[in-house]
Amino acid sequence: MALTVGTKLGPYEIQSPLGAGGMGEVYRARDSRLKRDVAVKVLPQALSADVDRLRRFEQEALATAALNHPNILAVFDIGASAGAPYVVSELLEGETLRERLRGGAMPLRKALDYALQIAHGLAAAHEKGIVHRDLKPENLFLTKDGRVKILDFGLAKLTQVEPVTQTSLATMTHATDAGVVLGTAGYMSPEQVRGLAVDARSDIFSFGAILYEMLAGKRAFHGNTAADTMSAILKEEPQDLTGTNRNISPALERIVQHCLEKNPEQRFHSARDVAFDLEMLSTSGSGSAKAVLGVNPRHRRVAVDLAVGLVLAALVFIAGRFFGARGAASAAPEIHQLTFRRGRVGGARFAPDGQTVVYTAAWEGSPRGIFTTSEQSPESRSLDIKDAELLAISSTGEMAIKQHPHNQGAFARLGTLATVPLSGGSPRALLEDVEAADWSPDGSKMALVQHTVDGYSLQYPIGKTWFTAPTWVSHVRISPSGDRVAFENHPFGGDEGSVMVLEKSGKVREVSTGWLTVQGLAWAPDEAEIWFTGTRVGANRALYAVTLSGKERVVARIPGCLTLWDLGSGGRVLMTEGYERAVMMAVLPGANERDLSWFDYGVPSALSSDGKSLLLGEVGEGGGAHYTTYLRPTDGSPAIRLGDGQSADLSSDGKYAISRVMSYPNKMYLLPTQGAPRQLPTGAINPGVVALFVSGTHTILFDGNEPGHKSRIYLLDADSGALPRAVVPEGVHGLAGITSDGNFLLARNEKHEPMFYPIAGGSPKAVQGLQPDEQIFGIARDNRNLFVGRSGDLPQKLYRLDSASGERQLWKEIEPPDRTGTDTVGNLRVVQDGNAYFYSYFRSLSELFVFRGLR
C-alpha cells in the first residue's frame, strides 16, 4: 500500500512519491532531526513477509552503508515501521542513465566521463568485497552537477567479509549462491546466466555492456525474449563499435571488448584497471591514446630508501613491459640513470655540447648547488655555485641561474636572476624576484617570469610584459624558432593549472587545461608539440605532448612522479622520477610532536577545540580526482572521510567542516561530521582557498571574487540558505584569521598591508610591526597578539607580535626531524592561544634520468 503525504516513519515525514521498483517504493521525505530532505525506500508490507525478499532488502542497506564513495548512493539510516522496513539515503536530483539513453548514443567525451566515474565507484565497492550483480542503466543516476551515482546494491554479494558467526555469514550470502540466477537480462554476465558463482568480473561485464550502449546508442545484447537475450550473451558478439560510431577509436573498442569477454579469466580483473585505461583515453583528448608506460597509480609508496634504490630497475622493467606490449617492431627505450645520492634534483638542462648535463640538487639535507654530469660517467662535479638553482643554458654556454631562492607560497621560489658562464666565473646579477627564465635560440635575450606588486608577469624580452596573473606562473620555455613562448599558469594557487602559449602576435592562449598538477615543460624540436608532465588524477605526473591546436597524447607513464626538464638531440628526454610525500605534524598541549599523515599528500587545516581531531585535505594520489576531506583523530586511529574537496575549516562545535572543490567556478561544501555533504550557495562568486567559521557559529567568512571584480571577503550564513554578502571593500584579500570574539577578521588591503576589519562594518585597524615578507599563522585569545614569521625559513622562526605596539619576541623554531628533500614547512597554524599548533612539510626525493626512444 502506498504511503500518503504526511506519513511519518520515525523522524522522517513523507512528502511525495518518487518511484517504485522490484525492491520497494521510494519517497521524498523530510528528516525532522537534521532539517534536510532525504529519500526513503520502503519495502511493501506484503513483500516484507517474503523471507528472501526481506533478506535481499536488508542486504542492500548493509552493502551500501558499508561504502563511502562519491559515485555510490550514500545510505544514512535503516529502520522499520508497522512491519515495513525502510532505508534512508541521500536525495538525488537528475535522471537515470536509462532516461538519458532514450535520446540515443552519447557524445564520446561525456560517455568517457560517466564511464570513468562508474569504474571508480565499482572499484571502491570491489575493494570492500562487494559485488553489485545488477548493474544496468536503471541503477545509474546522473545528477544535475554531472556526477554518476550507483544505486541499488540489492543483489550485492559480500565476497570478503570480516570474521562473523556461521549463522550470520549464511544469512548474508544465501541469496547469491551458485545455481540461483539473479540480475537483469541484457546486462548479466555469462556466468550469471548460467547460475554460476560470480565475482567482481561479473560487474565488469555488465559495465562493458553499459559502456557499449552509451557509445553505440543500442544494447550490446538484445533479443525478442529474455531467453533470446541470455542466449546472445552466451553465444554472440555485439557489433563492432567502429561500425556503429565512426568516432570510436580502436583503443576504446579494445577496452569494451576486454570487458565483454565471455570467459571471466580473459576480462579485466579489476575495475581499477578499467578506470586506469579509461583515464588514459580521457586525458588523450581523442579517445585514442597511445600505449602508456607502467601500471596503475599507487596510493602508497614503499619506504623512501628502498624506492630510490630500486627506481632504475623498476623503470627498465616497466619499459620492457610497455614496449613489449607494442610489438616486436618497437625497441624498448634506453634509460640511463645520472644521479645516485639521496636528495632532490631539479632545474636540469642539456649543455650545448650535447653530452654534458647540468642540474640543481640538494643532497643529504645540504643546501642546493649546481652540478654537471654526463651519460659517460656516474660521477657528478660541483660547479661551486651555492644557494642557487639552474634556470637555463644558452646556445653560447651562458647559464641563467636563480640566486638565493626562497619560497613564495606553496610552490613558487623567487630569487635573483643572474648569468654565469658554464666554463666558470662569477655570477652577474640582473633582476630580483624571478621565478623562471629561458634563453632565446641565439642566446641574445631571455623570457622570464617575475613576481611584482601586481602578481606574476611573463616578459619577453626582459621588461616587455605580455601576461600577468595573481598566482603562480612557471616553467617558461622559448620555442626553437624564437617566435613563441610556452609556460604554465596555476590560477588556483597550487600547482594545478594549464599549459599556455604566447604567440608571435602577442596573443596568449591555453592549449591544455584541467591538470591537477602540471610541472615541467619543453618544446619538441620541430615545434609541432609542447611536451610536459602532469596528471588530472592524483599526484603522479606522466609525460604528455600537446599540439598547438590542443590535441593531447600520452607519451610515457610510470608508477611515480615524473618531471620533464629538457629535450635534447637524438630524441633524448631529461626527466626526474620522484618520491613525493607531504608529512603532517601536530603538537597538542603537554605532548610531543606527532606524525598524523594519512595518505600521500595531506594538507592540515584545522584542529578541533578539544584537540582530538585534525581536519585535513588529501590532495595527492590518495585524494582522488576532486581531492578528499578527512577528519583524523589525533590518537592515531584511522581517518574518517567527510567528503570531496580540499578542507578549509572545522566549526568550533566540531559538527561541520568546509571544503572547496575546484571547478569553474569553484564549489564550496558544508560537510557534517555525521550526515551528507551540502553544497553552499555562492552565486556568481568564485570561492578562493581560505574559508573560516566565525567562532561559535555556522557563519562562514571566505575569500573570493566575482567576474570582473577584484578579490574580497564574503560572509555566508550556512544555515539560512541565503547568498553571501561582501563585508570588506573590493581588493581586500588574504583572509588570515578571525578574532576569538568573532568581531574582526584579519586580511590585507590593496596595498598588501595587514588590517583588522570589523565584520559588522566600520573602519579597519592597522597591524603594527609586521614585515612585508612575513605571514600570520595565528591570533592569540587576547585578539591583539599574533604569531608571525617569514615563510621559507628553515628552521621556521615564529614570533609573538603585539599588533598594537609592534613589539615582538621569538616564540618558537620549528623544523622537520629530517631535512633531506625538504625546503620549508607549510600550512602552519598556531591555535589554542599557542598551546597547540600543526604544520606540514613536503619531502621530495628524486633521481635524474636520460630516456631515449620515447615518441
Side-chain angles (χ1 to χ4, degrees), residues 605-811:
S605 57
L607 186 70
S608 63
S609 56
D610 60 8
K612 293 183 178 180
S613 299
L614 181 69
L615 186 73
L616 65 104
E618 282 290 347
V619 301
E621 286 294 303
H626 299 287
Y627 300 157
T628 309
T629 293
Y630 287 91
L631 202 60
R632 176 79 151 123
T634 54
D635 63 5
S637 54
I640 302 164
R641 186 186 189 279
L642 299 184
D644 282 352
Q646 167 62 56
S647 65
D649 198 18
L650 188 67
S651 61
S652 57
D653 60 12
K655 294 182 178 180
Y656 294 92
I658 314 167
S659 75
R660 181 194 67 149
V661 173
M662 288 184 300
S663 59
Y664 298 94
N666 297 325
K667 298 175 183 177
M668 195 159 63
Y669 286 85
L670 191 69
L671 308 179
T673 52
Q674 295 182 347
R678 172 163 61 89
Q679 185 177 347
L680 293 169
T682 53
I685 302 167
N686 185 32
V689 176
V690 180
L692 302 173
F693 281 105
V694 176
S695 180
T697 73
H698 292 159
T699 301
I700 298 168
L701 286 173
F702 67 95
D703 58 3
N705 67 282
E706 298 177 74
H709 295 271
K710 296 179 181 179
S711 297
R712 64 198 308 181
I713 297 169
Y714 299 84
L715 182 143
L716 173 65
D717 185 338
D719 297 326
S720 71
L723 290 173
R725 61 180 177 86
V727 293
V728 296
E730 191 172 332
V732 175
H733 63 285
L735 178 61
I738 304 171
T739 56
S740 60
D741 58 14
N743 292 330
F744 292 86
L745 64 87
L746 186 55
R748 296 180 184 267
N749 62 18
E750 285 194 277
K751 297 179 180 179
H752 205 62
E753 299 166 333
M755 310 284 285
F756 281 106
Y757 287 88
I759 295 174
S763 300
K765 297 188 300 184
V767 172
Q768 304 297 326
L770 189 70
Q771 298 174 9
D773 58 351
E774 285 186 318
Q775 289 183 282
I776 299 167
F777 299 110
I779 305 175
R781 286 199 182 119
D782 62 10
N783 301 323
R784 173 171 171 160
N785 280 279
L786 309 176
F787 299 95
V788 305
R790 194 184 80 152
S791 179
D793 290 338
L794 264 187
Q796 173 69 66
K797 295 181 180 180
L798 284 178
Y799 298 87
R800 192 177 182 106
L801 173 69
D802 186 322
S803 63
S805 68
E807 295 181 0
R808 68 170 59 208
Q809 59 181 6
L810 183 64
W811 179 68

Side-chain angles (χ1 to χ4, degrees), residues 176-194:
T176 59
D177 289 341
V180 179
V181 177
L182 293 175
T184 301
Y187 304 95
M188 296 166 63
S189 65
E191 55 269 32
Q192 272 183 296
V193 171
R194 293 189 173 100

Side-chain angles (χ1 to χ4, degrees), residues 297-318:
R298 294 178 292 183
H299 287 278
R300 290 184 178 270
R301 296 289 303 268
V302 295
V304 176
D305 291 338
L306 180 61
V308 174
L310 295 178
V311 66
L312 180 59
L315 288 171
V316 172
F317 170 74
I318 291 165

